[in-house]
Amino acid sequence: MPIITAAITVFLTTLAQKGLDKAFETGSEKVSEDAYNWIKSLFYKNEEPKKNLKDLQKDPQNKEKLSNAVAIIENSIEDDPKLEVYLKEILEKLPNIENTISNSKNVNTGNVNIEGGNFRIGDNYGD
């Protein structure tokens, strides 16, 4: 289950950084209301983030806090295995996250064929 755990971690990081509604709004396909309500019930109470999510929001990259949030999801599925369908739906419909770099002179986006010569990206320090 390491791949699923990694996907859950990405989802939880997005949830912590953007909040529930924004975490889902950029996807091309909408998550079912049941899946949405299930995740919401795990991390929100009275429209406010629960303690675990608040802690994660303060430090979204903290491995211990991410691990605690993953455990919440896994425990919920362990208690009711049919909820795994909702998790799979959420992970399938999450928007693909791409990192892009723009306006940087230190990035090569094309093919580099130097035919045995020297190749340098960025400034020529000291030359």
Side-chain angles (χ1 to χ4, degrees), residues 84-120:
E84 188 171 3
V85 172
Y86 296 149
L87 176 62
K88 287 180 180 178
E89 176 188 350
I90 289 168
L91 297 180
E92 286 174 2
K93 293 183 179 181
L94 268 182
N96 291 333
I97 299 171
E98 295 181 20
N99 293 326
T100 57
I101 300 171
S102 60
N103 299 326
S104 175
K105 63 182 173 188
N106 297 322
V107 177
N108 175 41
T109 59
N111 184 18
V112 177
N113 185 356
I114 57 173
E115 303 279 328
N118 291 331
F119 176 74
R120 195 177 293 183

Side-chain angles (χ1 to χ4, degrees), residues 5-93:
T5 302
I8 293 171
T9 301
V10 170
F11 166 70
L12 289 170
T13 302
T14 303
L15 180 65
Q17 292 172 339
K18 295 183 177 183
L20 185 65
D21 292 329
K22 294 205 185 240
F24 289 113
E25 77 180 8
T26 56
S28 58
E29 295 182 57
K30 296 292 180 195
V31 174
S32 71
E33 189 172 336
D34 290 336
Y36 177 88
N37 288 335
W38 169 65
I39 282 292
K40 185 176 181 180
S41 72
L42 295 179
F43 295 103
Y44 285 84
K45 183 175 182 176
N46 298 327
E47 304 300 321
E48 291 293 320
K50 291 182 179 178
K51 182 183 182 321
N52 295 85
L53 184 57
K54 283 182 183 179
D55 291 344
L56 190 58
Q57 287 172 333
K58 291 176 186 172
D59 187 5
Q61 301 303 322
N62 184 300
K63 290 182 182 183
E64 183 179 336
K65 292 174 184 173
L66 277 168
S67 166
N68 291 341
V70 169
I72 289 170
I73 292 173
E74 289 174 345
N75 289 340
S76 176
I77 291 171
E78 190 175 298
D79 291 344
D80 189 355
K82 70 179 182 181
L83 296 174
E84 188 171 3
V85 172
Y86 296 149
L87 176 62
K88 287 180 180 178
E89 176 188 350
I90 289 168
L91 297 180
E92 286 174 2
K93 293 183 179 181

